[in-house]
Amino acid sequence: MKRSGSQASQKGPLECFIGTVRIDPLFQAEEPGRVAGAYVTFEPCSRSNWHTHPLGQTLIVTFGRGLHQRWGGPVEDIGPGDVVTVGPDERH
Amino acid sequence: MKRSGSQASQKGPLECFIGTVRIDPLFQAEEPGRVAGAYVTFEPCSRSNWHTHPLGQTLIVTFGRGLHQRWGGPVEDIGPGDVVTVGPDERH
């Protein structure tokens, strides 16, 4: 069991984000599993740079309002309860 | 994108739960991925029966207070921010 507050927050690395973003690790699967989860908290006006994930990413919005865009696609408004699935190597 | 409210809630099946439990699906990985996620909401005094997961389970507590127990282990109080990792075929 990982108790609330027992895992240190990290700052989103400068090469990945613009503005202040906090990353709170939640879990990391043991081998051969590869899934990991974290809370990522964006201050107003912060954002990630365009990027991809080799195995894709699922975003579950828990709080606030935000914008999400896939490369070449429309900007989409997202809010609590929305789930965004991004495929392997899909730029977003 | 799965919009909030677009995925129907399910009732926790009677053979798995005691009391009223709501399951709100979030995501299901495409093959060959096998990970899936859902919100599971327990009414007061409801609980799951003893069970296992072939690939294990990670519980991320988002709201309320609850109790968790591994077979043969102590009853543990859990609350928001706690993360419980249950291994493959570990009874809980």
Side-chain angles (χ1 to χ4, degrees), chain A residues 14-35:
Chain A
L14 288 176
E15 65 271 26
C16 299
F17 297 99
I18 290 173
T20 301
V21 175
R22 193 177 76 246
I23 300 172
D24 291 293
L26 289 169
F27 65 89
Q28 168 72 57
E30 287 182 34
E31 295 281 345
R34 294 174 293 181
V35 70

Side-chain angles (χ1 to χ4, degrees), chain B:
Chain B
M1 163 125 45
K2 300 276 194 183
R3 287 293 185 187
S4 180
S6 68
Q7 302 185 83
S9 298
Q10 301 161 14
K11 286 212 172 199
L14 288 176
E15 65 271 26
C16 299
F17 296 100
I18 290 173
T20 300
V21 175
R22 194 177 75 245
I23 299 173
D24 291 293
L26 289 169
F27 64 89
Q28 169 71 58
E30 287 182 35
E31 294 280 347
R34 295 174 293 180
V35 70
Y39 282 124
V40 183
T41 307
F42 291 80
E43 283 192 359
C45 299
S46 67
R47 63 173 175 83
S48 55
N49 290 317
W50 289 103
H51 66 283
T52 61
H53 303 271
L55 297 173
Q57 183 179 55
T58 299
L59 303 167
I60 301 165
V61 185
T62 60
F63 180 84
R65 304 298 308 181
L67 300 171
H68 180 263
Q69 188 176 22
R70 299 171 203 270
W71 188 260
V75 175
E76 296 180 295
D77 182 78
I78 53 175
D82 292 337
V83 179
V84 182
T85 302
V86 181
D89 296 322
E90 184 183 7
R91 191 171 304 275
H92 72 140

Side-chain angles (χ1 to χ4, degrees), chain A residues 1-4 77 82-83, chain B residues 2-4 77 82-83:
Chain A
M1 163 125 44
K2 301 274 195 184
R3 287 293 185 186
S4 179
D77 182 78
D82 291 337
V83 179
Chain B
K2 300 276 194 183
R3 287 293 185 187
S4 180
D77 182 78
D82 292 337
V83 179

